[in-house]
Amino acid sequence: MMNAAKQIESDVVVVGGGGSGLASAVEAASLGADVTVIETADVLRGSTGLSVGSIAAAGTPDQARLGIRDTSSRHFDDYQIISGDLARTENPDLVRLLVDNVADTIAWLRSMGIEFFGPVGEPPHSVPRLHNVLPGSRSYIYHLERRARKLGVNIVLNVTARRLLTTDAGRVRGTVCITRDNRSVTFLARKGVILAAGDFSANQALKCEWINKTVSQFVPINVYANGDAQTMGMNVGGQILNADVFDVPSMRLAPPRKEGLYGLLQRLPPSRALTGLLGWGLRNLPDQLIRTLIMGFVTTYLSPSEALFDHGAILVDRDGRLHASTDTNINIVVARLGEAGGYIIGDRKLREIFSRAPNYVATAPGVAHAYLQDFRRARRDVYFEAPTLEALANKIGVPAKALQLAVSSAKEAATAGPGTALDSAPYFALGPVRGYLIQTNGGLRVNSRLEVVRRDGRPIPGLYAVGNAGQGGLALFGHGHHLGWAFTSGRLAGRNVMADPDETDSGACRRSRR
Ligand SMILES: Cc1cc2nc3c(=O)[nH]c(=O)nc-3n(C[C@H](O)[C@H](O)[C@H](O)COP(=O)(O)OP(=O)(O)OC[C@H]3O[C@@H](n4cnc5c(N)ncnc54)[C@H](O)[C@@H]3O)c2cc1C
């Protein structure tokens, strides 16, 4: 049974304390608003804090320093190419909003103490454009939260927004939320509500309805990505665009546990002094020296290189059974193993190949490469080694006979690549590796002011959507566009909501249907 409802009123209510929500809150608060951020989790993080952390931007001082000539128009053209067929359905005004403002967003983030390395190149971007955050993506959350708190933003954790409240005139007036202990709290907004609650990669029912059953089974990285913003927005007349567009699952290893040296590094605040030192190290120290340190700050889910399989590694499930990729993308094969995941198995020859350039195992976050010996040294939670297959099987807890059978079947089927036959001890296992669904791309349709609009294009007064929640039909393909959009749309919505008139009609409020 619920206790009596409590009401809290502020100028702006932001639903979701990830990258886009915090950006909205900081911008609105810096313009004088009294802001409340509602976050369902017990910490601020979101997909933003779990991400690799790269932002694609054109015309930055970082590019100029490296002699890279780039413009937002060129970025716009590249974006269209990267979008492929979807470009026809995207809103070019929103693409312009992104490419024209993202360089300023980087400067804005920098003004809060967030530091970047690069830019580095990554096709199909036609020039180096990826600005990689140092030391890792938790820096975004750390500095934005600090700034928000300094500006007096009220951050409320462990509270989940459930539905929107509208006035009789159809203006969004606030949101009804539920606390962990099942109390109902209503947050009223005098100026507007900004939906910043991310994507729906963790919502099986929505994935099944909007994408398909297979995708609905894929494991999400962000367990809080329930599509609440999309559902709430639709319930007051909003429209979802690109509901069926999702990023192909990618094979990933979980981030390090918070123990030992790496645990300590993860707890260090990503201060200006620390990131400045790391930036200097990246520019001046040999790759090998800086690599281990950078790896310690990585909070994202590292993605092992598919090239391991080209060189003869095999994939086994938790029962030791072989799963070959034959004609299916290996990432999908891993994703089909579900929550249990599997292990990548290799031998000494493979270990040697993947112990030096150019054969890295993973990229730690776009700034340094990690080789097998880095995993061997620093990631004992996901790297295992043994002199025999039997001993390796025992270490990773799969039946030894099954693992031996998997290796011999792989040899017979000649799935092992040239030069390797998985016959040289010691053997290693990397895992558990899972095929995670990074994100879905269906978001509320928004206009260039980031207002949620109805099917007929009319804005819903008092309602904004940003980040994944307000992708507005942008697929945001190509590395670095999602974070660029999250921070840019958040920042601009925080500004736009302040231009809105106050809601003076505090009269009858209606709950949206659920
Ligand atoms: C592993 C990984 C790597 C990535 N790497 C990159 C990259 O390098 N570059 C790039 O551009 N993009 C990258 N992305 C994508 C990018 O991180 C996201 O698109 C972006 O962070 C989305 O920001 P957001 O603010 O919309 O959502 P989030 O950061 O997920 O924030 C949403 C917040 O809302 C909260 N919430 C949800 N429901 C409710 C509710 N009902 N009430 C209250 N709070 C709620 C959530 O807990 C969360 O804190 C990556 C994503 C992942 C998972």
Side-chain angles (χ1 to χ4, degrees):
M1 216 180 69
M2 278 180 211
N3 298 330
K6 186 176 161 192
Q7 280 198 355
I8 297 170
E9 186 163 30
S10 34
D11 293 331
V12 179
V13 172
V14 180
V15 177
S20 62
L22 288 173
S24 306
V26 166
E27 184 68 359
S30 68
L31 294 170
D34 165 25
V35 182
T36 298
V37 173
I38 298 157
E39 169 56 50
T40 188
D42 57 0
V43 287
L44 297 178
R45 185 172 56 202
S47 296
T48 305
L50 295 166
S51 72
V52 170
S54 317
I55 299 183
T60 63
D62 313 63
Q63 286 182 315
R65 204 176 40 243
L66 298 178
I68 300 158
R69 290 159 66 90
D70 196 12
T71 59
S72 57
S73 300
R74 186 167 181 182
H75 193 176
F76 182 89
D77 293 343
D78 282 355
Y79 182 99
Q80 304 287 333
I81 294 166
I82 298 169
S83 285
D85 287 346
L86 277 172
R88 279 181 289 116
T89 65
E90 294 191 301
N91 178 346
D93 294 342
L94 295 184
V95 182
R96 282 252 172 256
L97 198 70
L98 170 65
V99 298
D100 287 349
N101 289 286
V102 67
D104 285 347
T105 298
I106 289 197
W108 182 77
L109 291 168
R110 220 171 221 148
S111 74
M112 277 172 246
I114 295 164
E115 205 31 84
F116 295 90
F117 179 72
V120 296
E122 187 179 291
H125 288 287
S126 62
V127 291
R129 212 172 255 153
L130 290 179
H131 298 68
N132 297 309
V133 70
L134 280 177
S137 56
R138 97 191 142 98
S139 180
Y140 290 129
I141 301 295
Y142 174 83
H143 288 285
L144 281 164
E145 178 182 0
R146 251 164 79 101
R147 179 58 62 95
R149 290 198 188 274
K150 248 187 208 161
L151 290 164
V153 172
N154 176 26
I155 297 174
V156 190
L157 301 174
N158 294 311
V159 170
T160 307
R162 282 284 168 80
R163 58 181 77 88
L164 294 168
L165 281 174
T166 52
T167 63
D168 288 338
R171 183 183 176 85
V172 170
R173 181 71 174 97
T175 167
V176 179
C177 302
I178 294 289
T179 63
R180 287 273 164 104
D181 54 355
N182 218 21
R183 279 176 301 121
S184 170
V185 186
T186 298
F187 291 88
L188 294 175
R190 283 181 286 266
K191 285 196 172 286
V193 172
I194 301 179
L195 295 175
D199 68 300
F200 59 91
S201 51
N203 187 321
Q204 232 175 324
L206 284 187
K207 284 188 287 182
C208 200
E209 187 184 338
W210 289 345
I211 307 175
N212 60 45
K213 198 168 169 212
T214 307
V215 173
S216 75
Q217 310 295 331
F218 293 162
V219 184
I221 282 196
N222 179 1
V223 295
Y224 295 106
N226 280 316
D228 290 347
Q230 286 79 343
T231 313
M232 288 191 290
M234 283 173 79
N235 286 345
V236 293
Q239 186 188 0
I240 295 292
L241 299 178
N242 278 345
D244 60 341
V245 178
F246 62 99
D247 287 15
V248 174
S250 96
M251 165 174 69
R252 299 212 175 210
L253 298 158
R257 296 190 197 110
K258 293 196 162 65
E259 296 156 2
L261 170 69
Y262 277 46
L264 184 73
L265 291 177
Q266 303 254 330
R267 284 192 295 274
L268 282 181
S271 62
R272 259 184 223 263
L274 179 75
T275 51
L277 197 67
L278 283 173
W280 177 88
L282 280 162
R283 280 184 284 274
N284 297 290
L285 295 177
D287 184 40
Q288 219 172 345
L289 271 180
I290 196 79
R291 225 170 40 220
T292 310
L293 199 56
I294 289 285
M295 283 279 284
F297 288 106
V298 171
T299 51
T300 193
Y301 288 58
L302 288 175
S303 192
S305 166
E306 291 174 37
L308 282 161
F309 296 97
D310 300 337
H311 284 83
I314 61 166
L315 173 74
V316 296
D317 63 22
R318 300 299 277 269
D319 293 321
R321 283 186 305 241
L322 178 71
H323 288 259
S325 72
T326 48
D327 53 356
T328 314
N329 181 316
I330 189 70
N331 291 286
I332 303 281
V333 177
V334 178
R336 285 191 186 136
L337 300 180
E339 191 77 55
Y343 284 95
I344 299 169
I345 308 290
D347 66 353
R348 181 177 52 77
K349 285 183 207 149
L350 207 66
R351 197 184 77 191
E352 279 161 18
I353 295 171
F354 283 87
S355 284
R356 69 188 72 87
N359 298 309
Y360 59 85
V361 174
T363 310
V367 292
H369 292 135
Y371 299 93
L372 270 181
Q373 81 260 24
D374 297 320
F375 280 91
R376 191 176 177 217
R377 200 166 41 229
R379 292 297 309 274
R380 291 288 176 156
D381 55 326
V382 291
Y383 181 89
F384 306 87
E385 201 176 280
T388 63
L389 282 174
E390 195 180 5
L392 185 68
N394 286 337
K395 275 195 170 174
I396 59 176
V398 307
K401 284 224 156 57
L403 182 61
Q404 282 159 338
L405 184 66
V407 170
S408 47
S409 315
K411 284 181 193 167
E412 269 169 39
T415 49
T420 51
L422 291 188
D423 54 6
S424 61
Y427 298 94
F428 71 84
L430 208 49
V433 63
R434 298 184 179 88
Y436 290 98
L437 184 61
I438 303 299
Q439 64 198 339
T440 52
N441 287 307
L444 289 161
R445 182 176 165 200
V446 292
N447 61 19
S448 302
R449 292 194 73 244
L450 286 321
E451 292 166 304
V452 177
V453 296
R454 302 175 194 279
R455 279 183 186 279
D456 62 9
R458 275 183 309 127
I460 299 171
L463 188 64
Y464 295 76
V466 295
N468 286 140
Q471 277 193 221
L474 297 179
L476 299 175
F477 287 163
H479 203 173
H481 286 140
H482 281 91
L483 285 173
W485 176 250
F487 296 124
T488 301
S489 59
R491 182 168 71 86
L492 297 178
R495 191 180 299 169
N496 296 338
V497 70
M498 289 306 287
D500 269 8
D502 273 16
E503 169 52 40
T504 45
D505 165 24
S506 58
C509 284
R510 286 189 287 125
R511 284 182 171 194
S512 66
R513 94 195 129 76
R514 176 96 177 122

